[in-house]
């Protein structure tokens, strides 16, 4: 487990592919989270992994003070892994002293997002697996929004009881660097790299908190960057017959 006083730095890793439009909002939300009083003197380093970008993603990121790691993977698992390596190298901290927070370039985190994860690390959790909420539903997608929320929330217990949800999102994930290394890091897969990491954390005995207490807001855009990921899940759900969608589960 992560010790109560062992976190010396936080690395926020964001993979991006041609995200000059949405990324500024993401980076501003991370900046606000890094300024939360609960962070104290802990250093926060934001790393943007610009994967095969042809737009101003790198310039936007540098202007916001982020470390930019240009790669040509077209693979989100490799991109997240490269971002973690770059962050740990730049921070030059001892093993186990860095908290790795992962989000996405089309998402915005709450002002308490990093403080919440840091507090859970102090309690001894090795990883925090959070939920997402979807914003900016197109006006003609009201039915899709209802269907999505129903499927996503179907395992939630009655009010007042904690929800140990089944979801895994790279947009809302945190892990201590010692547990991350023991699990082998993000697998180099083009899909489900977040779930692959959490599965490995479970196999290695990490202390994992699944919680909906600090959700991240993500977009419902119809042009997702990672094929087969969350965006495609929404597209598939929108096109599925109503009866069939009732048997699916959101990732």
């Amino acid at each position: 487990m992560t010790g109560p006083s062992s976190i010396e730095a936080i690395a926020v890793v964001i993979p991006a592919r041609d995200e000059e439009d949405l990324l500024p909002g993401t980076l501003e939300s991370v900046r606000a989270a890094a300024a939360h009083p609960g962070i104290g003197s802990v250093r926060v380093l934001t790393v943007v992994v610009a994967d095969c970008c042809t737009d101003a993603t790198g310039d936007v990121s540098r202007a916001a003070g982020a470390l930019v790691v240009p790669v040509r993977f077209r693979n989100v698992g490799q991109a997240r892994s490269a971002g973690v390596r770059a962050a740990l190298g730049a921070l030059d901290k001892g093993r186990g002293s860095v908290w790795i927070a992962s989000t996405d370039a089309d998402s915005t985190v709450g002002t308490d997002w990093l403080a919440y994860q840091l507090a859970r690390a102090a309690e001894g959790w090795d990883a925090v697996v959070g939920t997402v909420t979807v914003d900016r539903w197109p006006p003609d997608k009201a039915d899709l929004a209802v269907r999505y929320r129903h499927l996503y929330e179907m395992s939630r217990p009655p009010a007042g009881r904690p929800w140990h949800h089944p979801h895994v999102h790279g947009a809302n994930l945190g892990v201590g660097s010692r547990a991350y290394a023991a699990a082998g890091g993000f697998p180099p897969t083009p899909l489900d790299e977040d779930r692959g990491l959490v599965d490995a954390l479970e196999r290695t005995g990490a202390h994992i908190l699944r919680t909906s207490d600090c959700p991240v807001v993500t977009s419902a855009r119809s042009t997702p960057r990672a094929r087969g990921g969350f965006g495609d899940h929404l597209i598939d759900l929108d096109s599925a017959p109503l009866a069939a969608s009732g048997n699916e589960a959101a990732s």
Side-chain angles (χ1 to χ4, degrees), residues 10-14 27 30-31 34 44-48 64-68:
I10 299 172
V12 181
V13 177
I14 308 169
L27 294 173
V30 170
R31 184 204 62 78
V44 178
L45 172 67
T46 300
V47 178
V48 174
L67 172 64
V68 177

Side-chain angles (χ1 to χ4, degrees), residues 147-244:
R147 293 166 69 184
Y148 168 77
R149 282 192 293 269
H150 170 71
L151 289 173
Y152 194 86
E153 302 265 335
M154 65 189 308
S155 66
R156 185 188 286 271
R161 293 174 54 191
W163 183 27
H164 304 294
H165 64 86
H167 309 295
V168 178
H169 302 283
N172 192 1
L173 183 61
V175 58
S177 53
R178 181 178 290 111
Y180 178 87
F186 284 107
T189 57
L191 183 65
D192 288 339
E193 81 296 339
D194 42 11
R195 189 170 296 278
L197 173 60
V198 173
D199 287 347
L201 288 168
E202 291 175 343
R203 290 194 299 271
T204 53
H207 197 202
I208 302 171
L209 174 64
R210 289 178 176 268
T211 178
S212 60
D213 286 348
C214 196
V216 163
V217 178
T218 195
S219 72
R221 64 182 177 188
S222 58
T223 55
R225 297 296 188 266
R227 304 311 306 176
F230 184 74
D232 276 347
H233 167 72
L234 295 180
I235 293 171
D236 291 345
L237 182 61
D238 190 27
S239 61
L242 185 59

Side-chain angles (χ1 to χ4, degrees), residues 91-176:
L91 290 168
D92 192 26
K93 297 295 183 182
R95 181 179 178 183
S97 63
V98 178
W99 184 262
I100 302 160
S102 170
T103 193
D104 287 340
D106 65 339
S107 303
T108 54
V109 305
T111 55
D112 62 340
W113 183 62
L114 292 176
Y116 178 86
Q117 293 194 14
L118 192 63
R120 303 294 77 76
E123 293 171 355
W125 296 98
D126 294 313
V128 177
V129 180
T131 55
V132 298
T133 59
V134 179
D135 74 341
R136 299 187 293 274
W137 289 102
D140 62 338
K141 298 298 182 183
D143 288 344
L144 173 61
V146 171
R147 293 166 69 184
Y148 168 77
R149 282 192 293 269
H150 170 71
L151 289 173
Y152 194 86
E153 302 265 335
M154 65 189 308
S155 66
R156 185 188 286 271
R161 293 174 54 191
W163 183 27
H164 304 294
H165 64 86
H167 309 295
V168 178
H169 302 283
N172 192 1
L173 183 61
V175 58

